[in-house]
Amino acid sequence: MRTEEELNIDSASDSDRSGKTSLVEIKEYIDSHYHEALTIGELAGKANICPKYFVDLFKKTFGQTTIDYLTHVRMNHAKRYLAESDDRLRDIAQKVGYKDEFYFSRIFKKKVGMSPSEYARNSRQLIAACSSAIIGQLVALNVIPTAAPLDAKWTPFYYNAYNSEIKSRLKLTNPYPDSCFEENIEQLFRAKPDVIIGMDHLAQEEIAKLEPIAPTFIVPSHAGWRKQLELIAAFLNKEETAKSWIGQYERKVAHARSRLQEVVGKDRVAALRIYGQNLYSYGNQGLEEVLFQDLQLKTCRSHASRNQQITLDDLLQCDPDRILIAVCPEAASRRYWLALQHSAEWHTLRAVAQGRVYTISSDPWFEYSALAVTRMLDEAMLLFTGDSPNGVLDKSHGESFAT
């Protein structure tokens, strides 16, 4: 089996080749046959072009050489085997297209920055997450924490997706009492994580209780999710994974923005929240970044600042074209929402009359993480356009994206 460095430009004539395969299909062929001994001649033949032209065209089209792309694909699969299996290095090398495990190790270290054994050790670190937002950052880095707060009501996505994989379940300190923190400390002592990752909303005395358990990394809450992801990635030696996630997210945004321009156009969007018997102009960091920065939707806010209580008259003055509304899941809020829907004034709103009111839930819209904003992006597309995302981030650890 030949390796990338043995990919040779053979001079076989392509005059007897039939059919023409696009470069996109060639790329997809590499994706599914990366474990085989591929040659430039073979791939050029599938495209029905001469090898030298194929080499130049592939690099011009995809921004990297065929060899570099094949290596990239092989390294990604090798990372998964190293992180998720107990296979011997020799077997992993062969599974990703290398007959020589030593050559594979050299290529891996050159491309990834550490040896396969180092990568395996880092990938199998027992990591504790102190908040659901940290879970969302770790999943984006292909890491499932061994200890994290899970709650069927407040974090249903993580509960349903990772309930069997997160062995030590911590309690959410919000909305539950502060006494939960002490229970979580006891749980962390039993879990014996290698590292603990938390947000800076933790008090200094709480951080001081975490540090004797394991090295503790505190993420600044004021930083954007991209910066937070990069900081956590640097701490865990996963910088390339973070870079890849951010790049894929930006490509998703570009596609979604273009699609929404066709459907939403210049419609003004209002985000609202019902809590108890009151209506609020709602906003948080994730929601505002996704809707009004990334997707560049036009905001319609009747008050200058977000999260201010408003009246129905205030909303009528703004009269948005579309409304996103979050209803708190307790009886008083639901009663008010039901009454509001039966109000004659409510039905005079442009968004209501045109059937463009969309209810949203706290999960994912109240969380701020790499995974949460991606889910918000997908949900916004589904609500506004009806387009269902192809690549929901699930137990594949966040490797697939809708495009």
Side-chain angles (χ1 to χ4, degrees):
M1 185 177 292
R2 282 179 284 183
T3 63
E4 289 92 358
E5 290 187 352
E6 293 170 310
L7 276 166
N8 61 309
I9 301 177
D10 68 30
S11 57
S13 170
D14 51 58
S15 60
D16 58 343
R17 312 214 189 255
S18 59
K20 183 176 181 180
T21 304
S22 73
L23 285 183
V24 171
E25 291 175 297
I26 295 295
K27 192 164 174 278
E28 291 173 350
Y29 183 83
I30 293 173
D31 290 342
S32 58
H33 292 78
Y34 63 90
H35 55 287
E36 299 176 5
L38 302 177
T39 69
I40 291 293
E42 174 190 356
L43 298 175
K46 290 181 178 298
N48 200 29
I49 56 180
C50 73
K52 187 178 187 307
Y53 181 58
F54 170 80
V55 169
D56 294 338
L57 189 60
F58 191 98
K59 184 173 182 179
K60 182 178 179 180
T61 303
F62 299 114
Q64 60 185 149
T65 67
T66 315
I67 293 173
D68 286 342
Y69 181 71
L70 175 59
T71 303
H72 172 75
V73 172
R74 286 176 167 176
M75 292 303 106
N76 280 347
H77 284 278
K79 288 177 184 178
R80 172 156 287 185
Y81 285 124
L82 289 164
E84 301 178 5
S85 77
D86 294 317
D87 293 348
R88 295 180 303 174
L89 189 60
R90 179 189 303 172
D91 296 332
I92 292 175
Q94 291 178 351
K95 284 181 178 181
V96 298
Y98 299 90
K99 65 180 179 181
D100 184 341
E101 65 185 284
F102 301 106
Y103 177 73
F104 162 69
S105 294
R106 290 198 303 273
I107 292 294
F108 189 94
K109 186 168 185 178
K110 179 181 178 182
K111 297 297 182 181
V112 180
M114 66 182 75
S115 69
S117 58
E118 288 177 300
Y119 185 87
R121 281 197 304 272
N122 289 338
S123 298
R124 297 183 187 194
Q125 279 185 309
L126 299 180
I127 299 171
C130 290
S131 70
S132 56
I134 295 298
I135 304 176
Q137 300 287 32
L138 291 174
V139 169
L141 297 173
N142 297 338
V143 173
I144 306 301
T146 188
L150 283 185
D151 189 286
K153 178 180 179 180
W154 297 103
T155 60
F157 178 84
Y158 297 125
Y159 184 88
N160 293 328
Y162 305 112
N163 186 39
S164 62
E165 297 176 70
I166 298 177
K167 306 301 182 184
S168 298
R169 298 175 200 167
L170 307 180
K171 291 187 176 181
L172 291 168
T173 54
N174 183 18
Y176 298 120
D178 292 340
S179 60
C180 288
F181 183 79
E182 296 301 326
E183 295 180 43
N184 286 343
I185 288 292
E186 295 178 11
Q187 185 74 354
L188 287 170
F189 267 115
R190 290 193 292 269
K192 298 179 180 178
D194 297 310
V195 296
I196 299 171
I197 302 178
M199 301 291 293
D200 61 6
H201 65 259
L202 291 168
Q204 284 301 317
E205 56 268 26
E206 292 174 328
I207 296 173
K209 292 180 180 180
L210 294 173
E211 289 173 335
I213 302 173
T216 302
F217 183 71
I218 300 300
V219 180
S221 56
H222 67 272
W225 69 264
R226 294 168 180 82
K227 183 61 177 179
Q228 292 176 359
L229 187 68
E230 290 170 347
L231 290 171
I232 296 171
F235 181 67
L236 299 176
N237 294 317
K238 288 183 169 288
E239 291 93 336
E240 284 302 314
T241 307
K243 182 179 178 181
S244 175
W245 179 281
I246 293 169
Q248 290 183 81
Y249 177 80
E250 300 300 345
R251 288 191 289 275
K252 281 191 70 171
V253 165
H255 168 77
R257 190 186 298 139
S258 174
R259 177 77 175 107
L260 284 174
Q261 282 299 313
E262 300 172 5
V263 177
V264 177
K266 296 182 179 180
D267 285 0
R268 294 164 304 128
V269 179
L272 307 175
R273 186 184 185 195
I274 291 176
Y275 179 67
Q277 297 295 314
N278 296 309
L279 185 64
Y280 296 86
S281 175
Y282 183 65
N284 62 41
Q285 192 170 3
L287 180 148
E288 297 209 342
E289 282 186 16
V290 171
L291 295 183
F292 305 123
Q293 294 181 29
D294 294 340
L295 295 178
Q296 298 178 359
L297 298 177
K298 295 188 178 300
T299 182
C300 177
R301 186 176 282 148
S302 56
H303 274 238
S305 58
R306 64 189 185 191
N307 299 321
Q308 294 293 308
Q309 183 177 339
I310 62 172
T311 66
L312 192 50
D313 285 340
D314 293 326
L315 190 59
L316 285 165
Q317 289 180 18
C318 176
D319 201 13
D321 300 288
R322 297 171 188 266
I323 294 174
L324 293 176
I325 188 162
V327 182
C328 293
E330 38 79 41
S333 299
R334 298 214 297 260
R335 282 196 300 269
Y336 180 73
W337 172 227
L338 185 62
L340 189 62
Q341 292 176 84
H342 286 85
S343 162
E345 286 182 304
W346 175 255
H347 285 276
T348 63
L349 288 165
R350 183 184 291 108
V352 178
Q354 296 179 349
R356 292 174 176 172
V357 177
Y358 317 95
T359 56
I360 59 174
S361 62
S362 59
D363 179 24
W365 292 91
F366 290 10
E367 184 190 314
Y368 188 66
S369 71
L371 181 55
V373 297
T374 301
R375 293 177 58 217
M376 290 180 211
L377 185 67
D378 287 341
E379 191 166 313
M381 286 293 289
L382 182 60
L383 293 175
F384 291 139
T385 71
D387 295 348
S388 182
N390 300 318
V392 176
L393 299 173
D394 55 17
K395 285 193 173 184
S396 66
H397 300 182
E399 286 199 353
S400 83
F401 272 79
T403 56

